[in-house]
Amino acid sequence: MSRAYNFAAGPAALPEPVLRQVQAELLEWDGVRASVAEISHRSPEFMRVATEAEADLRRLLSIPGDYAVLFLSGGATTQQALVALNFAAPGQVADYVVSGHWGKVAIKQAKDYVRANVAASGEAGGFRDIPQAAEWKLSKDAAYVHMTANETIHGVEFRPEWGALPETGDVPLVADFSSSIASEPLDVSRYGVVYAGAQKNLGPVGVTVVIVRRDLLERAGQPRADIFNYASHANAGSMLNTPPSFNWYLAGLVFKWMLAEGGVEEFARRSAEKARLLYAAIDGSDGFYRNEVAPGVRSRMNVPFFLRDDALTAAFLAGAKDAGLLALKGHRVLGGIRASLYNAMPVDGVRALADFMQDFRKRHG
């Protein structure tokens, strides 16, 4: 067996120690003489998995006690609709800051339930920058303000260099953290809702984490089936229906691995080093490679870049694959190359990519 460095944007690489543990436990788990994928989600054994996963995630992200933690199916896109249904009255205005493709998708999912006000958008500039907070046109009576912390496709991220988020008063800030959660410390108390698909930094595809301030669960929202009600999921311990139990178990193992590795502080250090290595390889190439994102909002997680001669892109991708560097093809929206540097990507993987980029440039520059 020869595992390569997997730069996929999602489903993304998982930590190898976690995969090996899953492999060892797959047929018979924890002495129950069956796989964890086969046992009841209400069994005492799985209830322990669920309890430990929540406790570990709370520790990892320093989640305050007045926030509920939900483990749900449906992905981040489903949450974009559920946020509107749960926290806005029918036709109420909701503010959206659109920093890339997924910000636009968030509006698409919610537009039948709210009056979506585009408070700020980077689309006119090709989503290469994020409008400064002073430019945001926020509504006084908004149900919430929605933002996307990191745009997986366009490679823009809210960074300290960009500045501070605006104070929204009694209007809760709702944030999609799917592609950057747990990559650095997060002040959860700054947000009313944080949601994230697990398949980038937290675990496998199929389970989504929703962190919601408990007082928001008391909002009436809009008419909806009970299965779409966050409060009902919270009251049922995320077991209102059969949850994605195997995915939940696997995510729990990732949480334990991250804690053992040093927690979000250590992954913040690694993320900074990986981003520095890759951006240095791009910026130091005399234009052979280019990243078009404004420096102050460059993503640490997803780095799109382009070759000076687009005709070389196919050769670059083929050569990278032969060198054991996988899933570098850019998203169809942008084309080019995209490297995703999530928590499971080791620093050595980014060094290998930077070395390949230098060698490719020497041969084709």
Side-chain angles (χ1 to χ4, degrees):
M1 182 184 72
S2 176
R3 282 181 60 80
Y5 291 120
N6 180 7
F7 292 90
L14 289 163
E16 185 171 329
V18 170
L19 291 175
R20 292 191 180 279
Q21 182 175 349
V22 173
Q23 182 184 46
E25 296 178 344
L26 187 58
L27 290 180
E28 184 176 352
W29 173 77
D30 200 34
V32 302
R33 302 177 69 185
S35 172
V36 67
E38 300 171 308
I39 66 172
S40 169
H41 58 291
R42 300 190 185 279
S43 66
E45 293 84 3
F46 189 81
M47 292 298 291
R48 187 173 71 250
V49 168
T51 300
E52 289 184 6
E54 178 175 339
D56 288 340
L57 186 62
R58 285 185 177 277
R59 179 182 166 198
L60 187 66
L61 298 181
S62 300
I63 300 173
D66 59 339
Y67 283 72
V69 177
L70 311 179
F71 293 87
L72 306 176
S73 56
T77 307
T78 298
Q79 310 318 311
Q80 292 165 355
L82 295 186
V83 162
L85 284 172
N86 280 264
F87 304 127
Q92 186 178 6
V93 68
D95 289 337
Y96 283 80
V97 177
V98 183
S99 52
H101 174 85
W102 294 110
K104 292 181 67 175
V105 171
I107 291 178
K108 179 181 178 181
Q109 300 308 316
K111 64 182 177 60
D112 291 336
Y113 312 115
V114 298
R115 288 187 291 119
N117 170 51
V118 178
S121 175
E123 187 166 17
F127 293 126
R128 296 180 180 90
D129 204 348
I130 301 174
Q132 290 296 302
E135 302 172 22
W136 294 10
K137 295 178 173 58
L138 299 175
S139 309
K140 292 182 180 179
D141 57 346
Y144 53 82
V145 179
H146 183 281
M147 57 174 281
T148 307
N150 179 79
E151 282 284 354
T152 314
I153 294 174
H154 288 92
V156 298
E157 182 180 11
F158 284 88
R159 303 303 308 142
E161 298 90 332
W162 174 83
L165 294 171
E167 293 298 326
T168 57
D170 293 333
V171 179
L173 191 58
V174 176
D176 178 356
F177 267 90
S178 291
S179 51
S180 59
I181 195 167
S183 63
E184 63 183 348
L186 170 65
D187 182 5
V188 174
S189 66
R190 183 69 181 80
Y191 302 87
V193 182
V194 167
Y195 65 89
Q199 66 270 19
K200 303 175 189 297
N201 269 333
L202 293 182
V205 67
V207 63
T208 303
V209 169
V210 179
I211 303 166
V212 53
R213 206 173 66 218
R214 295 186 192 276
D215 66 290
L216 294 176
L217 296 174
E218 299 174 6
R219 288 194 179 185
Q222 304 186 29
R224 59 196 182 275
D226 197 40
I227 197 66
F228 299 142
N229 187 11
Y230 280 144
S232 297
H233 283 287
N235 291 335
S238 298
M239 294 192 184
L240 188 61
N241 61 332
T242 304
S245 56
F246 183 78
N247 312 69
W248 194 343
Y249 146 81
L250 212 167
L253 296 183
V254 174
F255 304 161
K256 291 183 183 299
W257 171 77
M258 290 187 65
L259 289 167
E261 290 289 304
V264 292
E265 293 80 8
E266 171 60 17
F267 284 97
R269 185 194 67 78
R270 296 181 192 180
S271 293
E273 183 175 1
K274 288 183 288 186
R276 179 188 61 79
L277 284 167
L278 184 49
Y279 284 118
I282 295 168
D283 295 342
S285 70
D286 293 327
F288 187 83
Y289 305 107
R290 72 182 190 280
N291 172 273
E292 299 176 345
V293 175
V297 295
R298 278 178 162 182
S299 173
R300 301 160 303 125
M301 298 284 100
N302 309 100
V303 182
F305 61 95
F306 306 89
L307 279 72
R308 181 163 52 204
D309 182 359
D310 186 57
L312 291 173
T313 299
F316 180 96
L317 292 170
K321 184 176 181 180
D322 289 343
L325 308 169
L326 304 183
L328 285 164
K329 184 177 180 180
H331 192 276
R332 62 184 179 276
V333 169
L334 287 183
I337 311 296
R338 175 175 56 172
S340 294
L341 315 180
Y342 302 131
N343 288 341
M345 172 57 64
V347 174
D348 283 347
V350 183
R351 288 198 184 100
L353 173 57
D355 289 345
F356 171 79
M357 291 168 65
Q358 183 178 18
D359 179 68
F360 187 87
R361 177 188 164 204
K362 287 178 180 178
R363 289 185 285 113
H364 298 277

